[in-house]
Amino acid sequence: MDRGSMIYMRYAKNVEINGNGCTFLIEKPVNSFVYLRECENVKIKGIDVCWEEHTSTQGTVTAVANDSITVKLQDGYPDLPSVEWLKEIGATISFGQLYYADEDRPKVTTTDRIRIERNYEKVGDREYKITCGSSYASISAVGDRIVIPTRSSNYDAGYLSAGLDGGSSAITVFLSKDVTFED
């Protein structure tokens, strides 16, 4: 892999990919499965995707302080990568997406994300204190859920990934229109 995505399209128009029920088994983490940028009239259908390892983690906010939140990760999701490893390969984790504690939707505020970068430390078993600044901490509440992309740079490319264009979600559609995912 020399890209952050398995399927990467830029400026594509009038394209249909039909997997006819195939399954992509992703054994080595990549940033995303599909990344579309500035595409039009694209249809992707008939594909199952199975990640051997998650590309993100998720947890629950257990404490909020002036400039930080503490997050307990849920079972079945990976720990955050060590800060030392991130520095060594030149990677970072940019943000975490907040979700309401009692609703299955993103938290809507002036900013719905928590800035993370390398500002976290492990404080317990699968528990992390994330220093994010007072403006970010103030939108958080105990019980909120958070999803944190753990592969916002290529898993093992580090500095080499600086010029790559890709997202850290399974599917990223950016500046595109008439895009359909089916089956």
Side-chain angles (χ1 to χ4, degrees):
M1 291 283 309
D2 61 357
R3 280 255 167 234
S5 303
M6 295 290 290
I7 297 174
Y8 176 92
M9 285 190 265
R10 190 160 188 183
Y11 307 119
K13 289 186 178 181
N14 305 316
V15 174
E16 180 175 306
I17 297 174
N18 187 343
N20 293 312
C22 73
T23 298
F24 276 81
L25 173 60
I26 301 174
E27 294 176 330
K28 180 178 177 183
V30 295
N31 287 350
S32 66
F33 178 63
V34 174
Y35 183 87
L36 305 177
R37 183 182 182 107
E38 299 172 83
C39 294
E40 185 176 338
N41 193 27
V42 173
K43 185 176 200 175
I44 299 175
K45 66 181 186 177
I47 299 174
D48 288 326
V49 182
C50 180
W51 265 271
E52 186 175 88
E53 182 179 335
H54 289 285
T55 58
S56 63
T57 193
Q58 62 186 40
T60 303
V61 176
T62 59
V64 178
N66 182 41
D67 66 346
S68 66
I69 62 172
T70 303
V71 174
K72 176 77 172 180
L73 300 181
Q74 295 174 348
D75 290 337
Y77 290 89
D79 281 333
L80 291 175
S82 75
V83 172
E84 293 76 20
W85 180 77
L86 288 173
K87 287 179 182 177
E88 183 178 319
I89 70 158
T92 187
I93 294 175
S94 300
F95 68 90
Q97 174 72 55
L98 285 174
Y99 288 79
Y100 289 102
D102 55 354
E103 297 179 47
D104 194 21
R105 66 185 180 102
K107 194 166 191 176
V108 179
T109 63
T110 54
T111 178
D112 57 355
R113 304 185 308 172
I114 298 291
R115 190 149 185 80
I116 295 176
E117 294 184 1
R118 295 184 191 121
N119 299 322
Y120 59 86
E121 63 179 299
K122 193 168 187 173
V123 295
D125 181 37
R126 299 183 48 74
E127 195 164 28
Y128 293 85
K129 179 181 177 185
I130 299 170
T131 303
C132 53
S134 60
S135 62
Y136 290 104
S138 67
I139 65 170
S140 305
V142 171
D144 281 351
R145 294 173 296 130
I146 188 168
V147 175
I148 302 170
T150 56
R151 306 293 185 248
S152 56
S153 294
N154 273 350
Y155 185 73
D156 60 356
Y159 293 106
L160 301 175
S161 68
L164 299 181
D165 193 6
S168 55
S169 300
I171 297 172
T172 300
V173 179
F174 189 69
L175 296 174
S176 298
K177 64 182 181 178
D178 299 322
V179 175
T180 306
F181 294 91
E182 183 179 293
D183 297 328

